Amino acid sequence: MTVRERLTDGLYGLGWGTVKKLPEPVAVRLGRTVADLAWKRRGTGVRRLEGNYARVVPDATPERLAELSRAGMRSYLRYWMESFRLPAWSAERIRAGFDPKDVHHLTDGLAAGKGVVLALPHLANWDLAGAWVTTALDTPFTTVAERLKPETLYDRFVAYREGLGMEVLPHSGGSAFGTLARRLRDGGLVCLVADRDLSSSGVEVTFFGESARMPAGPALLAQQTGALLLPVTLWYDDSPVMRGRVHPPVDVPGTGTRAEKTSVMTQALADAFATGIAEHPEDWHMLQRLWLADLDPGRGPAASGKATA
């Protein structure tokens, strides 16, 4: 393990060990202070976030983009402060911390025994949404985690999410898809963050008017298992409660090859994600390159190895 990896692991360990013990108002102020300091430094992540917002809000002035990136960093640090504290939240606090709309799409699908795939972008706090599902709906689910470096940091994330009631599979290794399909055929729930391709085999979509790649997994799982595919978008407002919406199912096209069906379904996901992101751009925590025009020649949108999900 390199010095930088040890430092990264130690900082995240400090967050989970210390921040969760802070009174909530103190944690909120700490998160905002750290966010503002990071924003003022204008490091690579902040500049990339601002560049991504420029595509989401194409008519924004430089001043508006600066405001958005500052709000975006505050939203991003709110995610981290909440995530560090989630293991210490009571079941009542988790249930009260999220107020989603149209949850009937999810509960009806599960009641029908079809299996459900929830697909989310990097909006607001997807971990809190997951904890709400396992707590308020008393429904376990399976998800996939990016293999982070160092390995000890990946282990921390797995332990954290398993502690919230999630089954966590590694993204790499090749066996995740088969396990997810089995869970769905058994009528279970799978939740996937799906707005950034972590492989070289993503599906090209039009996203805010430009080409990007998104994972094929959600669409392929729905096709192969008969599970419902439901987009979900999340956002913050000025309250301590996160908001969200479960969108109507993405249907499997009646005709076409598997690749054609996957393309149509992934584009439908991208469109649903774009709706939520356009309404709440400051809550989209995309500090990496996403659009093909921003990627290096010959390079797919592979994992950065940074702890962002």
Side-chain angles (χ1 to χ4, degrees):
M1 187 188 300
T2 67
V3 172
R4 181 175 181 178
E5 288 174 345
R6 284 198 298 271
L7 178 60
T8 299
D9 181 55
L11 288 173
Y12 282 97
L14 181 66
W16 270 300
T18 303
V19 173
K20 71 179 181 182
K21 299 176 183 177
L22 297 175
E24 191 154 340
V26 175
V28 170
R29 288 196 298 272
L30 175 62
R32 182 161 290 202
T33 299
V34 172
D36 287 349
L37 288 172
W39 178 77
K40 289 176 182 177
R41 288 183 59 191
R42 291 194 60 79
T44 301
V46 173
R47 295 195 305 273
R48 174 50 49 198
L49 182 67
E50 206 164 284
N52 290 338
Y53 287 159
R55 285 189 167 91
V56 175
V57 189
D59 58 347
T61 64
E63 292 76 17
R64 172 60 177 150
L65 287 176
E67 291 173 0
L68 272 177
S69 64
R70 184 177 189 181
M73 290 304 295
R74 287 183 171 185
S75 177
Y76 185 47
L77 264 295
R78 176 174 172 176
Y79 160 77
W80 279 114
M81 292 297 109
E82 288 178 348
S83 295
F84 288 144
R85 294 173 53 76
L86 264 177
W89 281 14
S90 66
E92 181 180 354
R93 177 69 180 88
I94 291 172
R95 285 192 291 266
F98 182 37
D99 180 25
K101 301 176 182 178
D102 299 328
V103 180
H104 67 90
H105 291 304
L106 169 58
T107 54
D108 290 351
L110 292 172
K114 297 182 65 173
V116 176
V117 180
L118 295 180
L120 306 87
H122 285 80
L123 274 169
N125 192 336
W126 46 97
D127 285 327
L128 173 55
W132 185 89
V133 168
T134 61
T135 303
L137 300 184
D138 193 24
T139 301
F141 65 87
T142 305
T143 189
V144 173
E146 176 184 353
R147 275 206 175 275
L148 304 170
K149 292 184 178 182
E151 190 74 14
T152 51
L153 180 57
Y154 170 77
D155 292 340
R156 287 186 190 275
F157 271 92
V158 170
Y160 156 64
R161 285 172 174 150
E162 287 180 342
L164 298 175
M166 311 175 194
E167 179 187 23
V168 183
L169 306 176
H171 181 270
S172 58
S175 63
F177 188 91
T179 302
L180 295 175
R182 287 194 295 274
R183 300 291 183 269
L184 293 168
R185 291 191 182 101
D186 289 339
L189 176 63
V190 165
C191 299
L192 300 171
V193 179
D195 58 342
R196 182 166 63 101
D197 181 38
L198 297 180
S199 72
S200 59
S201 58
V203 178
E204 189 167 327
V205 296
T206 300
F207 195 52
F208 290 101
E210 292 192 43
S211 294
R213 288 196 191 100
M214 292 187 180
L220 287 172
L221 284 166
Q223 289 178 63
Q224 292 195 19
T225 68
L228 283 182
L229 176 55
L230 302 176
V232 178
T233 53
L234 310 170
W235 66 92
Y236 291 128
D237 56 19
D238 293 329
S239 78
V241 180
M242 184 176 72
R243 313 296 174 176
R245 179 189 175 198
V246 182
H247 295 250
V250 173
D251 294 328
V252 178
T255 61
T257 64
R258 184 174 73 167
E260 289 168 343
K261 292 178 180 179
T262 300
S263 178
V264 170
M265 295 172 72
T266 306
Q267 182 63 61
L269 282 181
D271 293 343
F273 294 166
T275 297
I277 292 167
E279 291 174 350
H280 305 278
E282 68 279 4
D283 292 324
W284 189 41
H285 308 149
M286 186 55 65
L287 279 71
Q288 299 82 25
R289 299 176 188 271
L290 177 72
W291 281 273
L292 300 187
D294 290 337
L295 297 168
D296 295 334
R299 186 190 145 195
S304 65
K306 295 181 180 179
T308 59

